[in-house]
Amino acid sequence: MKLQIPWIVCLILMAGFFVSPAPAVIVRGDTGTVPGGIFGLALSRPTALAPGTGTEPGPELGTLSPALTWKAVTGAEDYTVFVSKYPYGSANIIWSKGSIHGTSVTIPQGVLVHSGKYRWNLQARSGTTWSSVSNTLYFQTPPFRAPVALSPGSASSPGTRLTTLTPTLTWTAPVGAENYSVAISRYPYGSANIVWNPQGITGTSLTVPAGVLSSGTNYRWNLQARAGTRWSPVSSTLYFQGPLAGSLPQVTTKGTGSVASTTARLEGTLVSTGGFPCTVGFEYWTGSASPTATARVTMSAPGSFGVDLKGLPPATTYQFRAVAENPKGKVTGTTLSFTTAPQAYLEGIDVSVYQRSIDWAKVAAAGKSFALIRSSYGDVKTDSTFLTNIRGASAAGVRAGPYHCKGFGLTSSTSDAAVIADAKSEAAYFLAVAGDCIRDGYLRPVLDVEQEDARAMGSAKLNLWVTTWISEVRAKTGVEPFIYTSQSVAQSFLNAENRASARWIARWGGTEPSVGWDFWQYSSTGTVSGVQGTGAGYVDLDRFRGDMARLDAEYVI
């Protein structure tokens, strides 16, 4: 069947080529289709994407000039956007823009205001044909918040002490701020004591000019932001103190005095105190390690100062610098360096009646610097050569001191009371024999603990005996004894306290002890000029880890 179209309908359809409706300004979210084009064809409805949501009041934005974006419509030549404020409607359209090419447009500054409620939508156009109005999105603008003062200062009085009279004030920028007003007041704080109040500041920092602040005065500051005729709330308040009068100290690193294998003296000069008492000291380090600070001393006037370092590892290079500090701050001198000497050793011997008559002048000439001389054994026996040996050694310039050999006979089953009584008895006997040699110029006294005795007594009884003996000698003489024993006894029988006192360790065979030591008995079969000995004429050989300065400082009474 052939379709028949009335001629009047044809005229109406043909009129569609020449007549289109004017664009409809719709801000209510209406969704009706605007007719246009031949046979009623129309552009698709655009989709608003961001910002906002489809329900009011919508999200709070972080800007007063957001970019509106939408989805492109096929065939559209441009778009017209409409923004209205609350209460919404055509009467409250505050901004519209047409002939927009692309799918976004940024609302210029000055259109939106703080704490506002808004909605927006758009239409697409092609020639004289308009799409229906897009979906509508709702959003809110942020309130005009106070800026946040960042620095200088702290939230409580009196605040940070500044080092300059021209600090730079910094703060955060609230959304929509155009410029700022800053206020600084001195103590006692308040509007009557405002010393500086610049206006119309752009940016988020400002340097206080010279002449505003005074040394030693307390201040506080805050600010407000402005947008048009509107002012934000006042910012947080920060407190600070003007710098003290005076100046930083001046210090120089002078150098080193004596440097040995384990010790060094650092020297510096305080050139200026800066008007304050100063603390001075040094920092020293190896390689890339963090500096170690020495103890500080206080100086009220320029002058020299020094620090003695002890316990350094031998053959090690250090950097160091002098340090001075006053209320204005800390300064350091030039960095210098020093290298500790290789490990120094002193050679010595230990002797008893078994070495017979000794020519101590020959011993000294053989390079022996010290001698440990047996004075007594248990609480019943005196070494008959003790006084002759210790006097002869001292006369020859050999550092000498007495040692007492602990007696045998106690076991692990001996009562504590008997152990203590025995230790006190032996201590009294030792002091009766060697007491005159526990004084200036002699080596500190030594307790000899043998392995067989340690095994017989066990750790608990042995440590009780040793602690008692040392305490008795210390109490009677004011001198701290140390212990001679083997490495195995030190490791397996002595407690931590007594192990720390075991500074003379026997280990024969060429390998130094693996426990801490200062004296090492490294041979029982040595020969030394001036010493006869029994049998093959052997004598015990000992080594001190350090130089004569350390021996005198730490072991000579």
Side-chain angles (χ1 to χ4, degrees):
M1 180 179 175
K2 187 176 181 178
L3 181 61
Q4 300 293 324
I5 301 176
W7 67 270
I8 188 64
V9 176
C10 290
L11 290 175
I12 294 172
L13 290 174
M14 290 176 65
F17 285 97
F18 308 105
V19 180
S20 278
V25 178
I26 302 173
V27 292
R28 301 185 306 277
D30 299 342
T31 59
T33 298
V34 178
I38 190 169
F39 303 116
L41 298 178
L43 292 173
S44 299
R45 178 189 188 212
T47 301
L49 298 177
T53 58
T55 57
E56 59 175 308
E60 180 183 300
L61 305 187
T63 176
L64 293 181
S65 56
L68 312 180
T69 62
W70 55 88
K71 186 176 180 181
V73 173
T74 301
E77 296 177 5
D78 54 38
Y79 302 87
T80 298
V81 169
F82 309 95
V83 178
S84 67
K85 67 181 181 182
Y86 183 84
Y88 313 115
S90 57
N92 278 332
I93 293 175
I94 60 168
W95 188 67
S96 64
K97 183 173 178 59
S99 301
I100 303 169
H101 301 283
T103 56
S104 68
V105 66
T106 298
I107 300 175
Q109 290 282 358
V111 172
L112 306 181
V113 298
H114 292 93
S115 303
K117 296 181 181 181
Y118 300 92
R119 75 176 186 186
W120 71 281
N121 51 28
L122 72 154
Q123 284 182 273
R125 186 186 68 83
S126 178
T128 58
T129 300
W130 291 85
S131 72
S132 59
V133 177
S134 72
N135 57 311
T136 297
L137 295 183
Y138 296 83
F139 64 84
Q140 305 174 72
T141 50
F144 198 11
R145 294 186 171 92
V148 177
L150 297 179
S151 69
S154 57
S156 57
S157 178
T160 309
R161 173 77 67 183
L162 302 188
T163 60
T164 176
L165 290 174
T166 57
T168 297
L169 314 180
T170 64
W171 57 86
T172 62
V175 173
E178 297 174 4
N179 52 54
Y180 304 89
S181 173
V182 170
I184 298 179
S185 66
R186 68 172 183 268
Y187 184 84
Y189 313 116
S191 57
N193 281 329
I194 290 175
V195 297
W196 195 50
N197 186 210
Q199 309 282 329
I201 305 159
T202 58
T204 55
S205 67
L206 181 66
T207 298
V208 181
V212 172
L213 306 180
S214 301
S215 298
T217 303
N218 294 351
Y219 297 93
R220 74 178 186 186
W221 74 280
N222 51 30
L223 71 155
Q224 280 183 280
R226 188 183 68 81
T229 59
R230 299 185 64 200
W231 289 90
S232 73
V234 177
S235 73
S236 52
T237 297
L238 294 183
Y239 296 81
F240 64 83
Q241 305 173 65
L244 294 173
S247 61
L248 289 168
Q250 297 178 39
V251 69
T252 60
T253 308
K254 185 176 179 181
T256 57
S258 59
V259 176
S261 58
T262 60
T263 62
R265 180 168 179 78
L266 310 183
E267 297 178 343
T269 302
L270 180 62
V271 178
S272 170
T273 65
F276 307 92
C278 295
T279 59
V280 297
F282 296 88
E283 294 174 344
Y284 66 98
W285 64 95
T286 59
S288 59
S290 298
T292 297
T294 67
R296 299 272 192 94
V297 296
T298 299
M299 297 180 66
S300 298
S304 298
F305 59 95
V307 169
D308 292 310
L309 302 182
K310 298 180 180 180
L312 303 175
T316 303
T317 298
Y318 286 88
Q319 286 75 49
F320 72 102
R321 62 195 177 201
V323 177
E325 188 170 8
N326 68 14
K328 298 288 288 186
K330 170 183 169 182
V331 296
T332 58
T334 303
T335 297
L336 302 179
S337 65
F338 68 89
T339 301
T340 51
Q343 177 63 64
Y345 294 102
L346 298 177
E347 293 294 327
I349 58 176
D350 62 272
V351 299
S352 66
V353 68
Y354 299 110
Q355 275 68 51
R356 301 178 185 176
S357 177
I358 299 174
D359 186 334
W360 285 101
K362 289 184 178 180
V363 172
K368 304 307 176 185
S369 301
F370 64 91
L372 296 157
I373 300 170
R374 191 176 76 165
S375 61
S376 48
Y377 171 85
D379 59 0
V380 295
K381 186 173 182 179
T382 300
D383 190 300
S384 59
T385 62
F386 169 63
L387 289 177
T388 300
N389 279 333
I390 201 164
R391 289 169 181 167
S394 296
V398 176
R399 305 291 194 274
Y403 77 85
H404 173 78
C405 186
K406 179 186 178 303
F408 289 73
L410 302 181
T411 69
S412 59
S413 60
T414 303
S415 69
D416 286 354
V419 168
I420 292 171
D422 187 77
K424 289 183 176 181
S425 177
E426 289 203 20
Y429 188 79
F430 167 66
L431 292 174
V433 173
D436 286 344
C437 299
I438 306 176
R439 57 185 174 84
D440 290 355
Y442 290 98
L443 295 175
R444 289 159 45 194
V446 180
L447 173 64
D448 176 352
V449 178
E450 297 291 333
Q451 184 166 286
E452 295 84 354
D453 194 36
R455 289 173 176 169
M457 294 187 70
S459 180
K461 302 295 184 181
L462 177 66
N463 280 293
L464 176 61
W465 194 101
V466 169
T467 299
T468 302
W469 189 93
I470 289 177
S471 297
E472 285 292 302
V473 174
R474 181 197 304 120
K476 296 296 193 301
T477 65
V479 177
E480 185 70 28
F482 62 102
I483 298 170
Y484 161 87
T485 194
S486 67
Q487 176 171 292
S488 61
V489 170
Q491 290 175 321
S492 303
F493 290 93
L494 297 184
N495 60 24
E497 179 184 2
N498 289 328
R499 192 181 308 122
S501 297
R503 305 312 302 165
W504 181 14
I505 303 296
R507 189 178 190 186
W508 306 331
T511 303
E512 71 177 52
S514 58
V515 295
W517 63 275
D518 287 328
F519 296 87
W520 171 24
Q521 187 187 79
Y522 62 89
S523 175
S524 62
T525 57
T527 58
V528 175
S529 176
V531 180
Q532 299 177 36
T534 59
Y538 292 144
V539 64
D540 293 338
L541 300 180
D542 300 278
R543 181 170 291 159
F544 175 72
R545 183 158 59 183
D547 54 16
M548 189 63 75
R550 181 177 181 230
L551 182 68
D552 287 345
E554 298 184 24
Y555 285 94
V556 174
I557 302 170

